[in-house]
């Protein structure tokens, strides 16, 4: 053997017996012997052969404190010490391996956590109208800071703030004079930094507007471009034309009339897809692209959490500048003045657009790597009938683009308000959305009439209920949580969007609390502010606001709403009904929402997966809270939404796969309260 136990006894003068035991390694023999005894190895070996060979003798020897290593080794090699030690050792190894296996399994089986922009609705603050802190009649950054608790009360985490860049305000901030500065009307860079810090303190995320398509005509770049500064000459889209000659082509601006304006300084026309004070940037110029990227870095380095990318479908135009085809070929060219007169084959959704957005996205992703610091991107593009075009902004599985393109289809709900129309609009998104992507819903913004006004006041609650119970991320335009409506003002061309931009109604005091320093407000306050305001509705459990809060709380605390299946149950003239359920989760939710003009009795007796009796957890009419319905007779009034909670493990989706959708699929294990991949 390579090792042998050698034990020997040394008799000391005192007569005390000392046992020495060691593991003998033959390789060390010579050196050991030479060192310890200084004598011939043969000699030592002889003394070492005095062996203790009976157990009895062993047993007489007890271990003691301070025993030399030989004694220790003698004991430690004995079975009664060795075996438990080895068992313990292997047990530890096994436990470690088991722990490792469990960890790996848990990681492998865990579904991806939802990100902040998926968990909370996006709340849109139209800065001019939210809260005026200094009394000049226009909302500002300090104003938002004063009102941060409002978001917390609504259980909202993500706040999108409309542009606060330095701007001549021809398009209220969408005409940017300096992308790296704050307009004094809204505050200072310090105010922005303070606001951002305070928002982060409170766990809120700030999404800002990003405007890559155009600048203000007062931007330094435009000035240099007009002057043909060699570096800036091609920063914008210039084409030959003069005061008297025709425009370079028939293209029209989104705001009406030719999208070309003659600049007598440079002696050429420049393109503007919006106002003439908003010249379109030339994003085919690599220097311009680099400028955009630098701006992205500037704000992300500041800690801003995401961007709402403005007017993305317009960011490239065909370089050949050919006329766009007329919708009505017989219309005289001089009458081609609106967006609706042309097919926008050369001014929107051009090849290369998505490469640009992917490039921007990649820059943003660099900042997303720190945990909890995901940087979000949403894109704005109205593609009307061409939903496929919108969906392209989701990117591909390998090339990410926006987290979602805004879904504007629900804005069409008032056109035809009814149960089946609501379903149709919802389904338009669900069936066209690329697999594995995350839906979102918009029912209002600063460019469109408030849905409560166009659909009718009675549907406010039902719309909020649908918004907060559909799968995906809802967007709430400021004031929708209290049911604000458009103000009634004469519409001029330029101010056509003012009705939906009236000051936020905070309380029943002067100017609805929007501005309590002076009596100026940039737009009039809606006359209903005495009742429709945050303060009054906070006190009233049955208010639009209280319902919004409870719905949002439920949406965030109940897994079926966050990660569950969404299945259509029924859609008719009045009612749109759907359910939310999660595999392994006992509680499920049935929604019955009446978007019609009549009261309805809905018969769901053919839906076997539903229990016979259904209890209302929440109705938009609080009188019906807690009411019990037979599934064959569910009564709703126009504008009433019911949320019924029921308990069962029977799932609807396996039997009706064509009626159901799920994003970020997961299953729930009730016994240990975890979600797992399935
Ligand atoms: C977007 C904005 C709109 C603005 C336009 C031009 O559509 O939402 O308000 O006028 O872009 O920037
Ligand atoms: Mg453009």
């Amino acid at each position: 053997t390579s090792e042998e136990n050698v034990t020997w006894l040394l008799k000391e003068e005192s007569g005390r017996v000392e046992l020495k035991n060691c593991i003998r390694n033959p390789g060390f023999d010579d050196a050991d012997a030479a060192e310890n005894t200084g004598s011939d190895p043969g000699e030592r070996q002889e003394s070492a052969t005095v062996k203790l060979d009976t157990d009895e003798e062993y047993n007489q020897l007890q271990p003691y404190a301070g025993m030399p290593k030989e004694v220790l080794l003698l004991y430690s090699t004995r079975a009664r010490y060795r075996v438990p030690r080895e068992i313990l050792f292997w047990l530890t190894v096994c436990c470690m391996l088991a722990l490792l296996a469990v960890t790996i399994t848990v990681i492998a089986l865990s579904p991806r956590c939802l990100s902040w922009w998926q968990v909370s609705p996006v709340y849109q603050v139209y800065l001019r109208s939210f809260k005026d802190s200094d009394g000049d009649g226009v909302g500002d950054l300090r104003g938002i800071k004063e009102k941060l608790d409002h978001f917390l009360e609504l259980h909202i985490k993500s706040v999108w703030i409309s542009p606060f860049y330095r701007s001549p305000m021809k398009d209220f901030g969408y005409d940017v004079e300096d992308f790296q500065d704050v307009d004094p009307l809204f505050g200072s860079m310090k105010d922005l930094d303070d606001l951002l810090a305070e928002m982060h303190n409170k766990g809120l995320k700030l999404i800002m507007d990003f405007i890559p398509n155009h600048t203000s005509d007062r931007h330094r770049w435009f000035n240099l471009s007009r002057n043909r500064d060699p570096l800036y000459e091609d920063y914008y889209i210039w084409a030959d034309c003069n005061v008297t000659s025709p425009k370079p082509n028939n293209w029209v601006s989104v705001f009406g009339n030719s999208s070309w304006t003659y600049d007598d300084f440079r002696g050429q026309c420049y393109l503007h897809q919006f106002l003439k004070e908003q010249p379109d940037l030339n994003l085919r110029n690599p220097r311009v692209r680099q400028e955009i990227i630098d701006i992205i870095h500037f704000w992300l380095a500041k800690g801003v959490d995401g961007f709402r990318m403005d007017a993305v479908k317009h960011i490239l135009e065909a370089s050949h500048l050919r006329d766009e085809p007329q919708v009505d070929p017989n219309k005289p060219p001089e009458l081609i003045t609106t967006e609706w007169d042309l097919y926008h084959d050369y001014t929107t959704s051009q090849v290369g657009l998505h490469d640009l957005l992917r490039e921007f996205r990649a820059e943003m992703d660099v900042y997303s790597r720190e945990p909890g610091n995901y940087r979000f991107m949403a894109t704005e593009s109205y593609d009307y009938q061409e939903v496929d075009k919108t969906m392209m902004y989701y990117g591909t599985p390998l090339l990410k683009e926006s987290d979602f393109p805004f879904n504007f289809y629900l804005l069409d709900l008032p056109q035809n308000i009814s149960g089946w129309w609501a379903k149709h609009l919802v389904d338009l998104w669900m069936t066209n959305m690329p697999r594995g992507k995350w839906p979102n819903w918009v029912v209002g913004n600063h460019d469109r009439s408030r849905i409560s006004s166009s659909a009718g006041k009675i549907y406010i609650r039902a719309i909020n209920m649908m918004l907060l119970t559909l799968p995906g991320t809802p967007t709430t335009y400021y004031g929708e949580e209290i049911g604000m409506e458009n103000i009634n003002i004469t519409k001029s061309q330029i101010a056509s969007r003012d009705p939906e931009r009236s000051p936020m109604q905070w309380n029943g005091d002067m100017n609805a609390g929007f501005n309590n320093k002076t009596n100026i407000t940039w737009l009039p306050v809606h006359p209903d502010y005495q009742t429709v305001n945050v303060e009054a509705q906070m006190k009233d459990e049955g208010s639009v606001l209280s319902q919004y809060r409870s719905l949002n709380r439920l949406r965030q605390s109940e897994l079926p709403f966050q990660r569950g299946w969404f299945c259509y149950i029924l859609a008719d003239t009045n009612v749109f009904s759907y359910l939310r359920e999660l595999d392994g989760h006992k509680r499920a939710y049935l929604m019955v929402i009446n978007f019609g003009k009549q009261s309805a009795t809905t018969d769901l007796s053919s839906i076997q997966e539903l229990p016979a009796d259904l209890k209302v957890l929440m109705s938009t009419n609080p009188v019906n809270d807690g009411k019990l319905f037979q599934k064959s007779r569910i009564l709703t009034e126009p504008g009433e939404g019911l949320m019924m909670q029921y308990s069962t493990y029977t799932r609807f989706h396996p039997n009706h796969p064509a009626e159901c959708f799920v994003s970020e699929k997961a299953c729930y294990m009730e016994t240990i309260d975890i979600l797992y991949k399935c």
Side-chain angles (χ1 to χ4, degrees):
T1 57
S2 62
E3 272 183 4
E4 62 182 292
N5 284 342
V6 177
T7 316
W8 68 93
L9 281 168
L10 296 173
K11 276 228 153 106
E12 289 187 347
E13 274 156 72
S14 62
R16 202 176 130 203
V17 174
E18 189 170 333
L19 179 78
K20 290 203 170 184
N21 177 29
C22 68
I23 308 282
R24 184 168 150 199
N25 182 340
F28 291 130
D29 265 6
D30 293 358
D32 274 353
E35 230 179 76
N36 295 343
T37 66
S39 58
D40 179 289
E43 238 177 72
R44 204 211 63 187
Q45 231 163 27
E46 261 173 40
S47 62
T49 48
V50 188
K51 273 199 167 178
L52 255 178
D53 45 12
T54 66
D55 270 358
E56 262 170 75
E57 277 166 297
Y58 264 127
N59 293 340
Q60 285 160 14
L61 297 160
Q62 297 300 319
Y64 58 93
M67 63 188 144
K69 82 169 187 272
E70 289 80 3
V71 182
L72 184 71
L73 285 170
L74 171 66
Y75 279 93
S76 67
T77 49
R78 284 168 64 187
R80 57 187 274 224
Y81 292 100
R82 203 190 67 235
V83 173
R85 202 173 60 228
E86 285 179 1
I87 291 177
L88 265 177
F89 171 76
W90 287 113
L91 214 64
T92 314
V93 170
C94 289
C95 284
M96 298 284 281
L97 287 176
L99 209 66
L100 199 69
V102 169
T103 313
I104 292 172
T105 323
V106 166
I107 292 173
L109 286 184
S110 292
R112 215 177 58 87
C113 286
L114 296 185
S115 189
W116 57 266
W117 56 272
Q118 299 175 294
V119 174
S120 158
V122 172
Y123 186 99
Q124 182 189 353
V125 167
Y126 191 65
L127 184 47
R128 292 183 75 82
S129 309
F130 196 62
K131 171 74 192 171
D132 173 20
S133 72
D134 59 6
D136 64 356
V138 176
D140 44 48
L141 296 170
R142 284 172 182 234
I144 301 179
K145 195 166 157 234
E146 284 172 23
K147 292 294 184 185
L148 292 181
D149 287 343
H150 181 58
F151 305 128
L152 301 183
E153 265 147 19
L154 296 177
H155 311 289
I156 280 178
K157 293 196 176 60
S158 325
V159 182
W160 154 33
I161 305 177
S162 60
F164 40 77
Y165 305 102
R166 183 179 284 277
S167 159
M169 302 290 163
K170 296 282 180 214
D171 190 14
F172 294 140
Y174 285 98
D175 48 328
V176 181
E177 188 180 326
D178 186 344
F179 284 108
Q180 301 189 1
D181 201 3
V182 170
D183 196 276
L185 185 66
F186 298 133
S188 62
M189 193 56 97
K190 163 104 184 14
D191 291 333
L192 195 260
D193 291 339
D194 289 349
L195 173 66
L196 184 59
E198 193 55 22
M199 285 181 71
H200 285 171
N201 264 343
K202 294 187 182 266
L204 298 165
K205 301 284 187 178
L206 192 158
I207 302 164
M208 63 186 277
D209 245 290
F210 195 88
I211 305 152
N213 182 63
H214 46 262
T215 67
S216 156
D217 60 348
R218 298 250 297 268
H219 198 289
R220 188 177 61 91
W221 303 336
F222 191 65
N223 219 1
L224 291 164
S225 199
R226 294 173 75 206
N227 278 290
R228 288 190 185 270
D229 180 296
L231 289 179
Y232 293 87
E233 203 174 345
D234 296 328
Y235 261 47
Y236 296 84
I237 318 251
W238 294 95
D240 288 337
C241 78
N242 60 51
V243 207
T244 47
S245 78
K247 298 282 153 102
N249 59 30
N250 72 347
W251 296 356
V252 289
S253 146
V254 172
F255 293 146
N257 299 319
S258 174
S259 52
W260 295 99
T261 291
Y262 178 69
D263 176 59
D264 50 7
F265 197 83
R266 175 153 160 162
Q268 272 190 314
C269 275
Y270 63 89
L271 178 82
H272 52 89
Q273 296 218 43
F274 295 89
L275 296 175
K276 71 176 196 318
E277 292 87 356
Q278 292 170 298
D280 267 51
L281 281 165
N282 174 16
L283 278 121
R284 296 189 194 276
N285 179 343
R287 278 182 50 94
V288 173
R289 291 206 295 275
Q290 191 52 50
E291 299 274 13
I292 299 291
I293 287 168
D294 291 347
I295 301 164
I296 291 179
H297 285 274
F298 176 81
W299 291 106
L300 293 186
K302 248 189 193 305
V304 162
D305 302 287
F307 297 120
R308 173 261 190 194
M309 294 278 179
D310 180 77
V312 286
K313 73 172 181 182
H314 301 279
I315 62 182
L316 287 179
E317 297 79 20
S319 336
H320 55 58
L321 305 187
R322 274 181 226 135
D323 275 359
E324 285 189 326
Q326 293 186 195
V327 174
D328 173 2
N330 301 319
K331 204 165 183 177
E334 61 277 16
L335 296 184
I336 301 296
T337 54
T338 79
E339 196 188 355
W340 313 110
D341 292 326
L342 295 172
Y343 293 111
H344 299 290
D345 293 355
Y346 305 139
T347 53
T348 65
S349 315
Q350 296 298 292
V351 174
L353 154 66
H354 292 282
D355 298 309
L356 275 176
L357 288 170
R358 285 165 198 172
E359 201 180 324
F360 300 162
R361 175 81 227 190
E363 299 295 331
M364 292 178 66
D365 283 348
V366 175
Y367 292 83
S368 293
R369 293 193 189 123
E370 306 149 49
N373 261 353
Y374 184 80
R375 309 301 170 105
F376 164 77
M377 186 205 279
T379 43
E380 183 222 20
S381 175
Y382 288 90
D383 298 297
Y384 305 101
Q385 273 75 359
E386 299 170 300
V387 63
D388 280 353
K389 285 194 177 161
T390 311
M391 295 302 172
M392 286 194 67
Y393 296 98
Y394 271 117
T396 68
L398 290 178
L399 288 167
K400 239 174 75 186
E401 229 168 283
S402 60
D403 292 295
F404 53 69
F406 275 125
N407 170 3
F408 296 124
Y409 291 94
L410 281 181
L411 289 167
D412 294 340
L413 187 63
Q415 276 173 24
N416 214 339
I417 192 154
S418 60
W420 65 264
W421 183 243
K423 180 197 166 176
H424 166 78
L425 295 175
V426 167
D427 197 39
L428 198 60
W429 197 266
M430 298 314 287
T431 49
N432 288 293
M433 186 180 71
R435 229 165 148 30
K437 294 298 179 181
W438 188 255
N440 77 97
W441 314 94
V442 176
V443 296
N445 63 33
H446 62 295
D447 294 327
R448 295 285 182 263
S449 162
R450 285 192 184 268
I451 201 165
S452 49
S453 297
S454 38
K457 215 171 162 161
I458 63 158
Y459 300 107
I460 291 175
R461 291 163 186 256
I463 289 169
N464 275 345
M465 185 177 257
M466 176 168 74
L467 187 75
L468 293 168
T469 54
L470 287 173
T473 302
T475 297
T476 292
Y477 182 49
Y478 82 96
E480 275 164 10
E481 72 277 32
I482 52 172
M484 265 173 69
E485 291 184 86
N486 284 358
I487 48 168
N488 203 355
I489 43 171
T490 19
K491 295 182 190 177
S492 68
Q493 172 81 8
I494 189 74
S496 61
R497 296 171 295 179
D498 285 354
E500 63 265 21
R501 295 175 177 180
S502 68
M504 176 67 177
Q505 293 158 209
W506 293 106
N507 55 42
D509 303 344
M510 179 178 79
N511 301 324
F514 162 72
N515 159 2
N516 38 26
K517 296 226 165 80
T518 59
N519 203 7
I520 322 165
T521 59
W522 79 280
L523 282 175
V525 174
H526 196 287
D528 70 7
Y529 78 96
Q530 295 285 355
T531 47
V532 180
N533 70 59
V534 174
E535 200 181 281
Q537 294 197 9
M538 280 295 274
K539 292 186 197 133
D540 172 5
E541 269 183 36
S543 65
V544 176
L545 181 73
S546 298
Q547 283 185 354
Y548 185 99
R549 292 178 67 205
S550 341
L551 281 165
N552 203 19
R553 195 176 41 231
L554 202 70
R555 183 185 170 277
Q556 280 169 59
S557 60
E558 279 297 86
L559 286 168
F561 285 116
Q562 287 268 311
R563 321 212 37 150
W565 288 86
F566 163 69
C567 303
Y568 301 123
I569 296 296
L570 175 139
D572 61 25
T573 332
N574 298 307
V575 164
F576 177 31
S577 173
Y578 52 90
L579 60 75
R580 303 299 311 274
E581 61 179 21
L582 179 74
D583 291 297
H585 199 277
K586 199 168 175 191
R587 284 191 303 280
Y589 295 87
L590 172 75
M591 312 298 306
V592 180
I593 306 179
N594 188 336
F595 287 112
K597 306 218 162 30
Q598 292 117 24
S599 11
T601 306
T602 303
D603 179 4
L604 298 181
S605 52
S606 62
I607 316 284
Q608 281 147 22
E609 294 84 353
L610 291 175
D613 295 320
L614 289 157
K615 192 170 173 186
V616 177
L617 180 70
M618 192 190 299
S619 162
T620 52
N621 178 3
V623 169
N624 291 335
D625 285 357
K627 200 166 170 175
L628 207 63
F629 283 112
Q630 290 174 345
K631 69 171 166 179
S632 56
R633 286 183 55 77
I634 302 171
L635 299 173
T636 47
E637 294 302 317
E640 182 175 9
L642 300 177
M643 177 196 279
M644 335 257 210
Q645 190 191 58
Y646 59 96
S647 288
T648 167
Y649 288 109
T650 319
R651 290 291 85 114
F652 179 85
H653 74 86
N655 304 329
H656 310 268
E659 301 298 307
C660 298
F661 298 87
V662 69
S663 300
E664 304 277 356
K665 186 174 168 215
C667 293
Y668 180 65
M669 203 180 282
E670 205 164 64
T671 39
I672 45 173
D673 188 22
I674 59 155
L675 281 171
Y676 61 95
K677 265 189 209 151
C678 52

